[in-house]
Amino acid sequence: MSRRLVGVAAAPGRARGIAHWIVHDLPPVPHRTIGAGEVEREIARFEVARERACEQIAQLRRVTARQIGEIEAKIFDPQLLMLEDPELVDGTVSYIRENFLSAERAFDWRLLEFRFRFLDSAHHMVVDRLADLQDIRFRVLSDLHDGLGVDLAVPDQPAVLLFRELTPSFAVGLDPERVLGVLTMGGTRAAHSAIIARTLDIPAVVGIGTDLEQVAEGTSVIMDGGSGRVIVDPTEEEIEAYERLVTHLKLRQETRDEGAAGPNYTKDKVRIRLAANLDAPDGVRAAVRAGAEGVGLFRSEFLVIGRRVIPDEDEQYQAYRTVVEAFPEHDVTLRTFDIGGDKFPLFLDMQSEENPYLGWRAIRVCLDRPDLFRSQLRAAVRAGAHGALKLMIPFVISLEELLRTREMLQEVIASIPEESGDRGIPLGVMVETPAVVETLDLLAPYIDFASLGTNDLTQYVLAADRGNVRLAHLADPLHPALFRMYHRIRETATQSDVDVTVCGDLPTDPIGLAALIGLGYRQFSIPASSFPVVREIVRSVSTSDLRQLCDSLRDRTITAEIRAPLADYVEAALPADTASAVHLSVGVTGR
């Protein structure tokens, strides 16, 4: 009997193969003390090992830049900074000098303290730096103690590789010809190893947890890096369904028929625009290949999370320009730094907050730190000269925030030579707080567009933390309150002549997509991996039928009474072969 595992969709693509564990845990470092006369020698040993590790990482960075790309190579910068960090270096030396520990023991103890500090942060993007700690631990300890080496051999036959923790150094060496896919116990979509997997087009599901330990070596698995689903020991029926899905999607890709690469239309010929979500510039290739009509949500946090210094203007400019130039005929919407909540850079003094999701975050941080914000705005204005760049402000609750942002943007534009920047960058807001929902008509004269963020809006309207597993059954984006709210937002935007794009997770759920189309939304920004299924839904549904259905559902008081009729409609609208593909890929019955 098969088993199902669910993790975080980290790199799109599907794979079926044999599971092979890569265990790269170092053996325990022996506890060794030294005499007073050996202290300086041990300190020198540590310094040599640290310098060699820096040289190795710098060389790997150069190779990565040459073979994969400069942006991807930057993932090794935090490791170099860690190895130069006075807290790490001086702390290790202190353990040697004051506690008479061997160099390897002192370094390992100091790293253990860093590890606990990262784990205590509870911020998943900071926890992702654990893989960087593991990388530098390998290098320094292997130099200090030759007997600590481990076997990282990849099997001769293509396989799905399983890791407790995939480090960046190992990720850049993965061979797409021999690695069918990657499954990990820890990590997030923003982890450096996940970025590399996406760049190499290797499907990956991360953050599966301890359930992955139950997958034995040599077990047959099916994985979907676009949905985060894994099937262990699949049945014959599940294997056949998987093969049908792969064949179906391959045929769609090869034929490049209507809707595969060009404009997308519903069954009754209504135009639907599909743009891509990007976590970093490394996602450009997948977005272009998917046929994205621009970028509806370009998250900029990759530039600052885990960093000890503010990224300079030129680094930001190059990153933004890379994406803008990849879509010469379409808009790219850059979201300004959405830090705070579960994401914070190390260069900010962000105090512990009882409820960080309702604390100092996003536009509040940017307006309080004009040095950080102006640098981003200048980089964005300069990048705008190379295409159609738009700026989107997250977590807005008031007109004052919007006016201060617009004033700062105008100051930045005036300070940049005309030939170096776009003179008219559109400015919009995320509709993700109840305050903006209620005042959208008042904000409309001051914005050029809006983006509906269903993820945060769901947790704020329903008072249910979306990261709390115990509340998952409550945080349904098709709750009657939200369903009515989506309708009101669309009506207000239409009356105010404001374009609205939906950029949350809801459009990737077939039922949610059907609901949004029925409520009048025509522009969506989704992950590149979701394009095949979303296109299938779009081409199979009728906007007029869905409008009538949604009109009849606005007075429903139970979520299931909204979901069930929409699920029945989608099920009936899809052709048989497409329906089975959608079932396997995302589960058409929804929650």
Side-chain angles (χ1 to χ4, degrees):
M1 183 177 178
S2 65
R3 290 177 291 133
R4 303 291 178 110
L5 304 178
V6 178
V8 177
R14 299 167 181 82
R16 179 170 75 90
I18 299 301
H20 176 71
W21 274 98
I22 300 290
V23 179
H24 56 327
D25 293 334
L26 286 170
V29 177
H31 182 76
R32 183 170 68 87
T33 57
I34 59 174
E38 300 175 279
V39 167
E40 296 305 322
R41 187 191 68 184
E42 289 299 301
I43 292 175
R45 286 182 65 230
F46 165 64
E47 285 296 341
V48 169
R50 185 180 67 82
E51 289 173 4
R52 284 176 180 162
C54 287
E55 292 171 2
Q56 292 167 0
I57 294 169
Q59 174 61 18
L60 185 57
R61 190 195 188 287
R62 289 191 290 270
V63 172
T64 302
R66 184 171 63 250
Q67 297 181 350
I68 301 178
E70 176 60 31
I71 291 174
E72 289 76 16
K74 289 181 181 295
I75 68 171
F76 292 106
D77 290 347
Q79 293 186 22
L80 292 170
L81 290 172
M82 285 179 183
L83 285 170
E84 299 289 346
D85 189 338
E87 283 193 68
L88 178 62
V89 177
D90 295 346
T92 300
V93 171
S94 293
Y95 277 142
I96 296 173
R97 194 180 299 281
E98 297 172 11
N99 297 84
F100 299 103
L101 294 175
S102 66
E104 51 265 47
R105 190 57 167 166
F107 179 69
D108 203 35
W109 271 18
R110 191 58 177 153
L111 275 190
L112 189 62
E113 293 174 341
F114 272 60
R115 185 178 183 88
F116 285 145
R117 185 190 306 173
F118 284 4
L119 287 170
D120 287 344
S121 75
H123 295 269
H124 67 78
M125 285 192 172
V126 174
V127 173
D128 278 336
R129 302 293 81 82
L130 291 173
D132 292 312
L133 284 182
Q134 187 76 330
D135 251 355
I136 65 174
R137 182 173 184 264
F138 282 152
R139 295 187 184 281
V140 175
L141 292 182
S142 295
D143 190 272
L144 287 169
H145 196 305
D146 293 336
L148 290 179
V150 292
D151 180 17
L152 296 178
V154 174
D156 293 332
Q157 298 300 317
V160 176
L161 302 188
L162 279 60
F163 298 83
R164 290 189 178 91
E165 188 171 56
L166 175 58
T167 65
S169 290
F170 193 72
V172 297
L174 295 176
D175 181 357
E177 297 298 320
R178 299 170 62 193
V179 180
L180 301 175
V182 168
L183 305 176
T184 71
M185 291 173 58
T188 72
R189 179 178 169 78
H192 289 156
S193 54
I195 292 172
I196 291 297
R198 289 196 294 275
T199 302
L200 296 175
D201 290 330
I202 296 175
V205 178
V206 302
I208 297 173
T210 56
D211 287 344
L212 189 63
E213 291 181 314
Q214 306 307 312
V215 181
E217 178 77 15
T219 302
S220 175
V221 297
I222 291 175
M223 61 169 293
D224 184 346
S227 67
R229 289 173 171 79
V230 181
I231 304 176
V232 182
D233 282 325
T235 64
E236 287 299 321
E237 292 79 9
E238 287 168 333
I239 292 174
E240 290 175 5
Y242 168 81
E243 296 296 344
R244 285 198 305 272
L245 170 62
V246 171
T247 301
H248 174 80
L249 295 178
K250 183 179 179 181
L251 182 62
R252 289 295 189 193
Q253 182 69 21
E254 289 176 348
T255 56
R256 307 294 286 176
D257 61 2
E258 179 186 357
N264 302 284
Y265 291 91
T266 62
K267 192 175 178 180
D268 53 346
K269 306 304 179 186
V270 173
R271 178 81 157 83
I272 302 293
R273 178 176 178 267
L274 298 180
N277 293 343
L278 289 187
D279 292 324
D282 71 277
V284 161
R285 266 198 312 169
V288 171
R289 191 166 56 245
E293 300 177 78
V295 176
L297 173 60
F298 180 14
R299 301 178 176 97
S300 57
E301 294 77 54
F302 74 96
L303 286 162
V304 294
I305 299 304
R307 297 278 293 268
R308 291 188 177 277
V309 294
I310 296 175
D312 64 40
E313 180 184 322
D314 282 339
E315 179 183 354
Q316 296 186 61
Y317 162 69
Q318 292 296 340
Y320 305 153
R321 177 178 174 176
T322 296
V323 177
V324 168
E325 291 185 331
F327 294 94
E329 299 179 3
H330 298 290
D331 293 341
V332 170
T333 301
L334 174 70
R335 185 179 69 184
T336 57
F337 294 134
D338 189 6
I339 48 182
D342 63 346
K343 300 166 288 188
F344 68 92
L346 299 178
F347 58 75
L348 284 183
D349 181 22
M350 303 194 77
Q351 304 298 320
S352 176
E353 296 179 309
E354 189 169 336
N355 192 339
Y357 285 99
L358 298 179
W360 193 53
R361 58 168 291 198
I363 190 59
R364 299 170 183 177
V365 174
C366 289
L367 292 175
D368 285 349
R369 287 294 304 268
D371 56 331
L372 171 68
F373 201 22
R374 283 198 178 91
S375 178
Q376 181 174 43
L377 293 178
R378 283 181 60 87
V381 171
R382 290 172 58 197
H386 302 279
L389 183 70
K390 300 160 68 175
L391 278 176
M392 179 165 62
I393 313 302
F395 206 57
V396 170
I397 64 167
S398 70
L399 178 60
E400 287 81 0
E401 292 166 331
L402 183 59
L403 292 177
R404 286 180 63 194
T405 299
R406 194 172 277 285
E407 179 182 6
M408 194 176 296
L409 178 60
Q410 292 306 315
E411 291 173 358
V412 164
I413 290 174
S415 71
I416 295 177
E418 189 164 342
E419 65 276 9
S420 302
D422 191 296
R423 316 313 290 176
I425 291 185
L427 186 67
V429 297
M430 290 283 291
V431 182
E432 56 185 348
T433 64
V436 169
V437 174
E438 292 296 328
T439 60
L440 185 57
D441 59 326
L442 304 179
L443 298 178
Y446 304 93
I447 59 177
D448 301 299
F449 66 96
S451 294
L452 171 57
T454 58
N455 298 347
D456 269 347
L457 187 61
T458 295
Q459 73 171 345
Y460 294 137
V461 170
L462 301 183
D465 181 356
R466 72 188 193 196
N468 189 326
V469 176
R470 296 180 65 181
L471 302 181
H473 65 291
L474 298 178
D476 193 313
L478 288 182
H479 183 284
L482 287 159
F483 190 77
R484 293 164 67 92
M485 203 170 275
Y486 303 148
H487 170 72
R488 187 148 51 90
I489 292 168
R490 176 68 259 179
E491 290 292 299
T492 301
T494 300
Q495 294 168 7
S496 304
D497 196 26
V498 172
D499 283 339
V500 179
T501 297
V502 184
C503 60
D505 288 339
L506 188 56
T508 64
D509 171 7
I511 300 171
L513 177 63
L516 291 166
I517 291 175
L519 292 170
Y521 292 90
R522 301 292 181 260
Q523 301 180 78
F524 304 96
S525 188
I526 57 177
S529 59
S530 298
F531 271 68
V533 170
V534 169
R535 279 202 182 95
E536 297 289 357
I537 304 297
V538 167
R539 69 160 57 94
S540 300
V541 302
S542 162
T543 56
S544 58
D545 290 346
L546 283 173
R547 182 172 59 250
Q548 292 179 31
L549 177 57
C550 288
D551 284 347
S552 70
L553 299 177
R554 285 211 304 275
D555 292 330
R556 301 296 173 90
T557 57
I558 299 174
T559 303
E561 293 180 350
I562 294 174
R563 278 193 170 273
L566 286 165
D568 290 342
Y569 176 86
V570 172
E571 192 94 58
L574 291 172
D577 63 336
T578 302
S580 69
V582 171
H583 268 295
L584 182 63
S585 185
V586 295
V588 75
T589 54
R591 301 178 74 87

